[in-house]
Amino acid sequence: MKLHPLGDKVVVKRFEAETKTTGGILLPDTAKDKPQRGEVISVGPGKLSKTGDRTPLQVKVGDKVLFTAWAGNEYKESGTGDEYLIMSEDEILAVL
């Protein structure tokens, strides 16, 4: 992947949506919710403080994270068609 985030930005690959309920009912595409979980693919160098120092991010590549429903901006890689979210570290709620 050629995507390198800047500052306190994080690139996340969203997990696939569930295709059936716990009771075994298959869900059509229109009924599927976008998952609010994903895996961190790439992280920026950290937020720049007023003194000029970098504050390192709390998440690292490979972390499984939980984020808000409308977090980030979607990015679709042209060669592979993979979809990623680019979000600020503040939009991540927890590491799973």
Side-chain angles (χ1 to χ4, degrees):
M1 182 174 69
K2 300 175 185 175
L3 195 60
H4 300 285
L6 303 175
D8 69 335
K9 301 296 187 240
V10 178
V11 178
V12 174
K13 181 152 179 70
R14 190 186 303 247
F15 291 148
E16 295 293 322
E18 294 293 324
T19 57
K20 60 181 170 178
T21 65
T22 53
I25 299 172
L26 294 176
L27 296 171
D29 289 339
T30 56
K32 293 178 188 174
D33 290 331
K34 287 188 176 182
Q36 294 174 317
R37 291 189 249 169
E39 181 178 356
V40 175
I41 302 299
S42 183
V43 296
K47 194 172 203 170
L48 195 59
S49 69
K50 291 180 182 179
T51 61
D53 297 326
R54 290 261 178 212
T55 305
L57 299 180
Q58 296 178 346
V59 296
K60 61 187 180 308
V61 174
D63 282 349
K64 310 291 189 262
V65 294
L66 177 69
F67 46 86
T68 60
W70 303 106
N73 295 312
E74 293 183 356
Y75 170 76
K76 188 171 185 176
E77 199 164 18
S78 59
T80 62
D82 291 337
E83 293 184 13
Y84 300 98
L85 288 173
I86 302 171
M87 65 181 72
S88 175
E89 185 185 35
D90 294 340
E91 295 175 304
I92 295 175
L93 303 174
V95 177
L96 303 172

